[in-house]
Amino acid sequence: MALRLSSDSAAEAVLVKDTHRWCVLALLCLAVVLSLTTWFSATAITPELKAAWLLSSTIEAWLTNGVQIGFVAGALVSSLVNLPDVVRLNRLMAVSALLAAAANACLLLQPGQVGIVAARILTGVSLAGVYPPALKLVSTWFIRGRGLALGAVIGALTLGSALPHLFRALTGSLNWQSVVLAASVATLIGSTIFWFFAGEGPHPFGKAIFEPRQIGAIFGDRPLLLVNIGYLGHMWELYAMWAWLLTYARAALEVQGQPSPAFASLFTFCAIAAGVAGCLLGGVLSDRFGRSLTTAGMMIVSGLCALAIGFVFDGPLWLFVLVALVWGISVIGDSAQFSAAVTELGDRRFVGTALSVQLGLGFALTVLVIGLIPRIAGLLGGWRWAFLLLVPGPLIGAAAMLGLRRLPASTKMAGGKR
């Protein structure tokens, strides 16, 4: 009887512990969703800001590119000084979210073109203290089920990135300031959740130290090189699609005879938010069929969607919406797998450097593509075929991941499922 009681107690303890980690994951994802609303808060109101402040096309691109550049700078500085290893993760995320809310709220002051770019850069720097640490913190709670947990956090990033478009759709009769205010308030709530409810778990994650001297070794490692090419192909497409989909949708709906700004914002929210399902699906498929096959498949689908959406630009509306939803699911569904592949393939001595290099190169590339898209639209005389620029990225990325799958080293990934 004593043995049974002991076994029952142990089982109950495991159940309580398991339940607690899922509760922490849910709260962490909620905080990430709320905090990441600041990433595209200005992008969601680009038409209004452009009209109100007479923004040039260059400044218009900086509404998103400023965040990208700030994020890269913040992430690299954080890695150089090992900030996540010096400051408790939940406090780092809470303070960073608070700064992001403040930087975003600066838009309400109408600071002029230089000021708005500075505010967006500061927002990106702040978010570098939210998203990467969130991935590290969730790893302290999960050994079993870590892939799904990481996918959930990236899904939260996706939903948070989409929310400003929902705010715009729901406040169509109000001014643009309501969107900025909603995003800042949401981020403040996220900061509070981080501080009080997102403590670290029982499985401390090893230090991810950035050592520039090791960069050569990373590029000399063929499996890691192929993973990074795959990731760059993925990033070539992802943020440019997210950044310009609203503008593209407004142009398409006007051609289709349905020029509704509120519907365009709702459409954009649904297309980007559909990526939450993609993140979860990518985790499940990766565990079952392998990381190389899953990432390649997702990129092939997303690349074909980038090609197809131009053909349905003028309708019918249902087909235009369907292509955008499939694109939204596939464009982000493979994201978590590239980081996971680096941790599985890389030498333990430079995994931290490898992750920092991957992140820095990927987000730096997004700056280039986001800036090119409106220029391509201008050269082509309209937005219809502008997303053709995105097609080569995922197709090259898919080829790299299929090439990785043929290497013996690929068996190190996903329990040997490559």
Side-chain angles (χ1 to χ4, degrees):
M1 179 64 71
L3 180 59
R4 176 184 292 181
L5 289 175
S6 177
S7 299
D8 289 346
S9 298
E12 289 177 5
V14 171
L15 179 61
V16 169
K17 180 180 176 182
D18 198 55
T19 302
H20 184 59
R21 67 177 185 150
W22 289 107
C23 288
V24 172
L25 176 62
L27 287 168
L28 179 64
C29 287
L30 175 60
V32 170
V33 168
L34 295 172
S35 300
L36 266 293
T37 56
T38 54
W39 196 302
F40 286 105
S41 59
T43 306
I45 52 174
T46 294
E48 289 85 353
L49 293 181
K50 188 175 182 180
W53 297 351
L54 302 177
L55 301 180
S56 65
S57 296
T58 301
I59 297 297
E60 183 183 358
W62 272 91
L63 294 178
T64 299
N65 264 345
V67 183
Q68 310 296 114
I69 291 173
F71 184 85
V72 172
L76 291 180
V77 169
S78 177
S79 295
L80 280 169
V81 300
N82 299 324
L83 196 58
D85 295 318
V86 175
V87 182
R88 288 178 60 180
L89 291 174
N90 66 313
R91 292 183 178 179
L92 172 61
M93 292 187 291
V95 173
S96 297
L98 182 64
L99 291 175
N104 188 67
C106 286
L107 299 181
L108 297 173
L109 303 177
Q110 301 188 31
Q113 296 195 7
V114 174
I116 193 175
V117 171
R120 300 312 290 156
I121 291 174
L122 181 56
T123 301
V125 171
S126 302
L127 291 176
V130 175
Y131 171 48
L135 294 175
K136 185 172 183 179
L137 188 144
V138 78
S139 296
T140 68
W141 284 100
F142 287 85
I143 294 179
R144 177 174 50 86
R146 181 176 287 178
L148 179 60
L150 291 173
V153 173
I154 293 179
L157 173 145
T158 304
L159 182 58
S161 299
L163 271 182
H165 295 289
L166 181 61
F167 294 159
R168 176 73 278 181
L170 296 177
T171 60
S173 60
L174 303 176
N175 54 35
W176 58 265
Q177 287 92 336
S178 59
V179 177
V180 175
L181 182 61
S184 293
V185 171
T187 304
L188 284 174
I189 297 171
S191 174
T192 303
I193 295 173
F194 284 137
W195 186 274
F196 292 105
F197 302 107
E200 294 179 44
H203 310 292
F205 202 69
K207 290 185 177 182
I209 299 173
F210 178 61
E211 296 186 22
R213 293 173 298 177
Q214 297 173 338
I215 292 177
I218 294 168
F219 288 111
D221 187 308
R222 190 181 179 193
L224 280 182
L225 178 61
L226 290 173
V227 169
N228 284 326
I229 292 174
Y231 180 71
L232 291 176
H234 159 75
M235 292 296 280
W236 175 271
E237 178 188 24
L238 175 61
Y239 276 88
M241 182 269 201
W242 281 2
W244 294 112
L245 185 59
L246 174 63
T247 303
Y248 190 89
R250 284 196 169 196
L253 291 173
E254 187 171 341
V255 169
Q256 295 176 33
Q258 303 185 59
S260 169
F263 180 73
S265 293
L266 181 61
F267 164 86
T268 305
F269 165 75
C270 291
I272 296 175
V276 175
C279 292
L280 299 177
L281 180 63
V284 172
L285 292 177
S286 181
D287 288 340
R288 183 166 184 178
F289 299 108
R291 304 206 195 285
S292 299
L293 202 57
T294 297
T295 52
M298 287 282 187
M299 284 190 283
I300 289 171
V301 172
S302 64
L304 290 176
C305 288
L307 173 65
I309 201 162
F311 289 97
V312 296
F313 184 82
D314 53 0
L317 179 60
W318 69 267
L319 188 55
F320 180 70
V321 171
L322 179 61
V323 171
L325 288 174
V326 174
W327 196 10
I329 291 170
S330 56
V331 76
I332 187 66
D334 51 351
S335 191
Q337 308 312 316
F338 295 105
S339 297
V342 167
T343 63
E344 292 165 333
L345 294 172
D347 188 317
R348 288 291 176 185
R349 294 172 298 173
F350 53 73
V351 164
T353 304
L355 288 171
S356 297
V357 167
Q358 185 187 77
L359 183 77
L361 289 177
F363 277 89
L365 183 63
T366 66
V367 175
L368 170 65
V369 190
I370 289 170
L372 284 176
I373 286 289
R375 295 179 182 274
I376 294 297
L379 289 174
L380 296 177
W383 279 90
R384 180 169 191 158
W385 301 110
F387 283 146
L388 286 178
L389 178 67
L390 305 183
V391 175
L395 297 185
I396 292 172
M401 296 308 290
L402 291 176
L404 172 63
R405 193 168 188 266
R406 292 194 292 269
L407 298 181
S410 63
T411 57
K412 296 179 183 179
M413 299 186 297
K417 294 182 180 178
R418 298 184 295 174

